[in-house]
Amino acid sequence: MPIDKLTRSLRVLSLSRKDRKTIGSLIEDYEIFGGQLVWKSEQLPELGKLVRTVLGITDKDIEKLRSANELEELAASRLKKMNRNKLQDICFVMTSVEEEDNDDI
């Protein structure tokens, strides 16, 4: 996807300054790395939060859902022309949570 299209899309989203800056930085990284970003598993909760923010899906929205299919339907309603495999990947990321530190228990 062209970087200028991503940048224009970022401008129209209703985001906090922090989220806008984070996503802007990710867009720059995306360009630098030739359209590929690799996330460490411990970074998935951060990515999930950004994805939920961009899609306008809150934690409360997710808590109300009764199944993975409902989550897919919710994500699909916010995205156009997204195939099922990509939707499932997005749903996985949106529901990633930070692992609890067992040292604190």
Side-chain angles (χ1 to χ4, degrees), residues 10-61:
L10 180 59
R11 286 189 209 128
V12 300
L13 294 172
S14 180
L15 302 171
S16 70
R17 182 174 280 164
K18 178 185 174 192
D19 288 339
R20 188 177 307 281
K21 184 177 179 179
T22 300
I23 294 171
S25 177
L26 291 170
I27 290 171
E28 290 173 7
D29 290 348
Y30 178 84
E31 181 177 33
I32 290 169
F33 295 113
Q36 297 292 317
L37 290 178
V38 177
W39 290 76
K40 295 179 182 174
S41 59
E42 59 267 11
Q43 293 175 304
L44 290 180
E46 176 188 356
L47 177 60
K49 179 188 172 296
L50 289 172
V51 170
R52 289 190 307 274
T53 298
V54 168
L55 295 180
I57 296 173
T58 66
D59 290 338
K60 286 185 181 183
D61 294 331

